[in-house]
Amino acid sequence: MKWRFDDLLTFLDVMETGSITATAARLNLSKSVVSKRISDLEGALGIELFQRSPRKLLASDNALDFVERIRPLVREIIDAADKVGERNSAIRGSLRIAAPMTFGTLYLGRMIADFARQYPDLEIAVEFEDRMVDLMRGGYDVGIRIGILRDSTLIARKLCTDARVICCSPDFATANGLPKNLEELGSFACIDYSNVNTSQLWQFENPVAPSEPISVAMRGRIVANNGEAMRDMAIAGLGLVLLPMFIAAEALRAGTLIAVLPEVQPLPYRIYAVYPPTRHVSAKVRAFVDHLVRHIGDPPIWQMTGILGPDPA
């Protein structure tokens, strides 16, 4: 009995999702087809890949070893197929994208839709997730990262620099006053971001020593893992919030949030497209990243002028 490439791809997907049901939904297959592919692969290899029970699907030691061996090989095969396809100057196949939830829903969805219209032969799968995902393990072609890049193995292309702003609701300002300087900032209630380990320290540019940012310890009355939720809590008058402009811009324009200490400069965010290292960048990834660069701009399309002073470098 010989193994089939589709069985390998299905196995990789099950290892990622941890569930036959989830893989079936993602691949648009029935659960019985996914189960049969896994069983056929086990039969071809002569090993047990999963321990099955009514409630759990546990990967065996064989599966853990096998997935580490075949993942880079499968990636190379897919890249090679993409490279051959490039000779016909066609963007086809599949493109898997991982991006942060708020940035994805506010801006990226429309850009992806426009890209999909341009390339009707390309299948696109998008996953929005605020927590950091492993592109290599997840089988993603490209991801969007906001902030500091910590994975040096990924290839990165900067899409833009996005300023951040301290803001609050007009009602909060009326009821509590506003800090006059950074020394007073830490005494105010704030809404903080839970997905960043050092988020309780708000950092600002230091005009005297640019390499040594100024840190302010904040007391986070409320902590959330989503920027839109943080914005809405600030609009409700629950505290100061430090937001990237791609989240704050519309509320600032509408007046439901106002800028606090506009003369100080929080360290900006940088937004990147990242993708796993390969011998060549596939045509579909290159076309998609180029598309994002054109549509976002730098300074980005959502950036307000006037309220934050000069655009950050």
Side-chain angles (χ1 to χ4, degrees):
M1 183 178 182
K2 296 181 179 180
W3 56 267
R4 298 181 298 267
F5 193 64
D6 280 349
D7 297 343
L8 287 181
L9 295 178
T10 303
F11 164 70
L12 288 173
D13 204 282
V14 171
M15 287 295 291
E16 178 191 345
T17 65
S19 164
I20 286 177
T21 300
T23 291
R26 175 183 283 180
L27 300 181
N28 197 26
L29 299 171
S30 67
K31 290 191 289 185
S32 61
V33 169
V34 173
S35 294
K36 186 175 187 307
R37 287 184 178 182
I38 296 300
S39 296
D40 287 350
L41 183 60
E42 289 177 320
L45 298 174
I47 60 174
E48 183 184 60
L49 295 171
F50 296 99
Q51 299 169 8
R52 299 161 175 81
S53 72
R55 294 186 178 182
K56 285 186 177 182
L57 186 72
L58 297 177
S60 67
D61 290 340
N62 286 327
L64 296 173
D65 179 63
F66 189 47
V67 74
E68 292 302 319
R69 291 173 179 267
I70 68 168
R71 185 182 288 117
L73 300 176
V74 169
R75 170 63 61 184
E76 285 292 326
I77 292 172
I78 294 173
D79 286 344
D82 288 340
K83 185 64 175 177
V84 170
E86 287 180 37
R87 294 175 183 172
N88 297 323
S89 299
I91 305 296
R92 60 167 64 93
S94 63
L95 181 68
R96 296 194 63 207
I97 304 164
M101 177 70 70
T102 298
F103 184 72
T105 56
L106 289 179
Y107 296 100
L108 196 60
R110 286 170 285 178
M111 297 179 195
I112 293 174
D114 184 61
F115 185 73
R117 284 192 293 268
Q118 294 180 43
Y119 301 103
D121 293 331
L122 184 66
E123 296 181 0
I124 299 176
V126 187
E127 294 192 21
F128 293 148
E129 169 61 62
D130 280 337
R131 295 186 185 276
M132 191 77 70
V133 298
D134 187 321
L135 298 187
M136 299 285 285
R137 289 182 178 274
Y140 297 101
D141 297 291
V142 62
I144 305 300
R145 296 277 168 88
I146 301 175
I148 299 172
L149 293 181
R150 293 183 173 84
D151 190 343
S152 60
T153 65
L154 296 175
I155 299 172
R157 181 175 175 185
K158 194 182 85 166
L159 300 176
C160 69
T161 300
D162 193 27
R164 293 193 295 165
V165 58
I166 309 169
C167 45
C168 70
S169 70
D171 289 343
F172 180 88
T174 299
N176 300 275
L178 293 176
K180 298 181 177 62
N181 48 52
L182 288 180
E183 288 73 20
E184 294 184 3
L185 182 62
S187 64
F188 283 75
C190 77
I191 301 158
D192 220 343
Y193 186 51
S194 62
N195 278 351
V196 179
N197 292 335
T198 59
S199 63
Q200 289 181 332
L201 292 175
W202 291 11
Q203 294 191 313
F204 302 86
E205 293 183 354
N206 186 342
V208 177
S211 63
E212 300 175 6
I214 300 169
S215 297
V216 178
M218 301 298 294
R219 53 186 184 95
R221 177 191 170 197
I222 298 174
V223 178
N225 69 345
N226 178 267
E228 287 177 288
M230 294 166 62
R231 177 201 62 200
D232 292 345
M233 291 176 192
I235 291 173
L238 298 179
L240 304 180
V241 67
L242 178 59
L243 293 174
M245 285 298 296
F246 76 82
I247 297 177
E250 288 302 319
L252 289 166
R253 289 190 183 96
T256 53
L257 289 178
I258 59 174
V260 177
L261 293 176
E263 69 276 9
V264 303
Q265 296 291 325
L267 292 185
Y269 276 162
R270 286 170 177 82
I271 302 179
Y272 299 88
V274 297
Y275 41 91
T278 60
R279 291 176 183 155
H280 68 275
V281 181
S282 67
K284 61 189 178 184
V285 169
R286 184 168 55 248
F288 178 65
V289 174
D290 288 344
H291 177 82
L292 295 184
V293 170
R294 288 193 302 269
H295 282 70
I296 292 175
D298 197 1
I301 53 175
W302 56 81
Q303 185 78 64
M304 294 179 64
T305 59
I307 194 168
L308 297 176
D311 293 318

